[in-house]
Amino acid sequence: MKKRLVKTISAVLAGVMACTVAACGKPAEEDAWLEKACPDKDETAEELYEKALQENILVVYTVSTRATKTKEAFEAAYPGLCVEIRDLRSPDLVEEVEKNYYSGNSDCDVIICNDNSGEFKSRIVDTGIAVPYLPSDIAGKMKDPESNVMGSFTYEAEMLFYNSAKYDECPIENIWELVNEEYKDRIYMPNPLHSFSTYAFCGGLMCVEDELAGAYKELYGSEPDTDGMSVTDYFWKRVSENIVFTNSSDEVLEALGSGSADFGFMVSSKQRFAGLGYDMAPVYRLEPFSGCRTSYSAMIARNSDNINSAKLFIRFLYGESDGKGEGYKPFSTDGTWSVRTDIPDGNDVPLDEIDLFVPDQDVLTENREYLEKFWTGILETKA
Amino acid sequence: MNRKICKLLTIVLTISLLYVPGCGFGSQPEILHVAIPYSDNIPDIDTNYYINYLEEKTGIDIVVSFVKIESCDEYLKMLFDSGAEIDIVLFGGSFVPGDGVLEEYASRGDIYLPDGEYKYVSEGWDTPAGAGTVLWINKEWLVNLGMPIPKTSDELEDVLEAFKTGDPNGNGIHDEIPLAGSAGEYDLNPVEFLMGSFAINDPYHSRMTADGKRIWADPAYRDGIEYCRGLYEKGLMDKGVFDCSYGQLCEMVNSPVPIVGAFTSSSIGDVIYRGNPEVMARYVHVPPLTGPAGEAYAMIPENKHKIGAIILSRSEKKEEAQLLLDTMMSEEASLIARFGEPGVDWDYSDGKDISIYMTPSTIITKNYIRDVVQNKNLNGVGPMAVPEKYIYGVTWNGLNSDAEYVDARAQMAYMDFFVDPGGELPVGNAELSEYLDRHMIAFVTGEEDVRSDSIWREYVSGAEEILH
């Protein structure tokens, strides 16, 4: 059973590699890089370490500062290897990686990015600019082989939180209640045009529009009068009147913590700061959805000069073969869920007990122009 | 024949040199000698975008003299004592004149003041003055110890105690400094932040309110000092805090092995080195702490116009000097001085973005050139007048370790802790400030006993004497 799964994953990965290379018509030297990189070759951590010692400093582009903890653990586990972390916001990371690639620059070795908006997939993965790497000893332990194509190493969610200092329990049961006037300027949310996970949630609602409409009917007993708009657009148009847009989830967390917000949409991993005294609690049950599932990818940047270090780092990030490695631990916190069967979830409540949907990335990619225009319009009304 | 040709050539050459097209006689660019503090961040002044822009805009040839003396006051003394050929001095960064220094030279007639005032200020480079100082705490240590961000002065003491004894950096050595600081600047001195849990604290105005109340004599102020004395006595505040230099504080905070639990500064970027995301990720701002009487105030900022430049009275090109500095104060030049080359390092925003202060954006930064090696402007040196809408309208550049973004979030969290001064704050009395600062240190270190009523009375009457 396991062997079959491994084979499936390997076939998927090989397929992705073949497609990306063929689709892009890479020049000979890049195919040579791929040949040299051998992302599908099985190598032990010891073998990679030995070769990595001959390489240069490993540069990691990441959207998560938790990677700095992985770096520290990696450098301690593999003396002689150095990692440089560059923290970037998702859209900027994609931009930088693309820029590097097209200018022939091999500045980045490993990419850690939120992969849910379709942007990462269409611009970086489908074009072959990032190359997935998943050794078979780990691949066989993944919960969902499909997500391996994207090099997902942890699951998270973009979801609703409420102010737990103000409310003993979540004061709403239906997402449409967020349009109530009492929540004017009391809901905080990152600008979806600058946050991949927020974009995935905002745009992804169009994939589950029937459920959204059903929730309206359940609450108000009739169909929404959308004045020709789609139900999703109508929902966002109404609720955005109550929203204060922020740059990132950190600001949402701080607004909840300071009492400025009653609700906030943010990445679930911010839950790890609840112990710091930020008064917020996740909304696990909400009609029809509290948010969407998201994930983080780790991939090798094509043309990386430090391929063995990159592979070793990604193995480490996945928690090594036995799942007990230190590299994944910074990511195993409240508000995260493991992608592996042999690593327990960081969050007490499992994913299937939370009202989340999984956005269709292809739909997001196809509708990008429309969604950008729509959200630009929304943001303009707030200006 | 040869002589004739030579003569002819000489005439032709002479004429061609004199009649440079478009210049004509007497239109050689005026030369201004400008003193600028030396900075490693400005590698080549001759090709500096801002300098070239100013030269082009004014037609003035700017000849830069780099000042390598770190002390601005020392440099000014040497400058005015000598006959050095300098028309303008630019200030910025740590190269700023001490309190009253410029006034003294001006009263001697050494400084030329157009319209009788210091027109050439620097507005827009520094973090917009909100809180005078911010407490930054090591959140990783809090997580390791399972403690929340403190909300009261008592909770802070518990946290600092845990930092001291709980080995939060996990190296098995008692090397943790629970609360670090430096007394060189008010914002770096943790005592100044802590006093806000007891009384309104305004060291920049000799700790007095607009209506003349002497905060420094208030029992609540004394309680605050007693609290700080307690922290110091228990080793929760670094014993070297009042001797520690700014550089030493930076070294401690930026240590690869985390050793500092908390520190204060008006901008996190003042203490944490640029390009150090690991260290930046360690710290988070703590809003003002509620004291035993339920008080919580943000330290009142200096709010003083910083002087960006002066013209020397002995300059024979005052008109040109004014032209140059007026140009530097224009919006166009100020934006270059603040953000770099338009279109390359920044652009105007269409307002559809969110600024770091969560307002509609006005400026999109493309390249972050502040405090890094660059050749686009003078890295904060010199006069500028950046309009407020641009100061507060900057977009986030996406870096979690962007100091401006981290600062903006802290400033917003401190917003609710400001007191309306209720009038114009008094001008600081340098002698009184020095007296109060000295005694504050003496009380905290235990050199003088703050708990002794007679010593306290003596201290208060000493301050009163200065005022009278």
Side-chain angles (χ1 to χ4, degrees), chain A residues 65 69 71 85 87-89 92 191 194 245-248 250-251 254 275-279 376 379-380 383, chain B residues 140 142 147-149 151 277-278 284-285 351-356 358 360 396-401 405 409:
Chain A
T65 49
K69 292 275 137 210
K71 159 209 153 85
I85 296 289
D87 66 329
L88 298 156
R89 193 164 46 171
D92 300 311
N191 175 355
H194 284 319
F245 288 99
T246 69
N247 289 284
S248 74
D250 283 326
E251 288 157 79
E254 284 159 12
L276 286 179
Y278 293 109
D279 298 313
T376 300
L379 290 164
E380 259 174 342
Chain B
E140 290 173 5
L142 290 173
M147 298 185 88
I149 294 171
K151 288 182 176 166
E278 292 100 315
V284 66
H285 67 261
K352 293 171 192 165
D353 221 322
I354 315 289
S355 84
I356 55 175
M358 291 204 276
W396 182 36
N397 64 6
L399 290 176
N400 288 314
S401 55
Y405 174 57
R409 281 161 44 203

Side-chain angles (χ1 to χ4, degrees), chain A residues 274-340:
Chain A
L276 286 179
Y278 293 109
D279 298 313
M280 46 88 181
V283 180
Y284 288 133
R285 288 297 185 203
L286 191 69
E287 188 61 41
F289 302 108
S290 173
C292 71
R293 195 196 77 184
T294 60
S295 51
Y296 279 83
S297 288
M299 291 199 179
I300 304 172
R302 188 182 271 265
N303 296 340
S304 157
D305 285 333
N306 304 304
I307 189 74
N308 296 296
S309 308
K311 286 179 177 177
L312 191 62
F313 187 85
I314 291 175
R315 277 191 74 95
F316 191 70
L317 186 61
Y318 269 102
E320 297 282 12
S321 187
D322 60 2
K324 290 177 182 158
E326 294 291 318
Y328 179 65
K329 284 184 182 163
F331 289 88
S332 183
T333 62
D334 279 345
T336 70
W337 295 266
S338 169
V339 293
R340 291 175 59 156

Side-chain angles (χ1 to χ4, degrees), chain B residues 178-207:
Chain B
L179 179 59
S182 162
E185 299 287 341
Y186 288 131
D187 67 321
L188 303 176
N189 182 350
V191 173
E192 303 294 354
F193 169 83
L194 296 168
M195 293 305 291
S197 302
F198 297 85
I200 295 167
N201 191 29
D202 188 359
Y204 294 109
H205 301 95
S206 303
R207 306 176 199 277

Side-chain angles (χ1 to χ4, degrees), chain A residues 366-378:
Chain A
E366 283 160 22
N367 290 283
R368 173 155 290 276
E369 206 178 316
Y370 174 78
L371 286 167
E372 279 186 359
K373 200 174 160 199
F374 174 78
W375 281 99
T376 300
I378 291 280

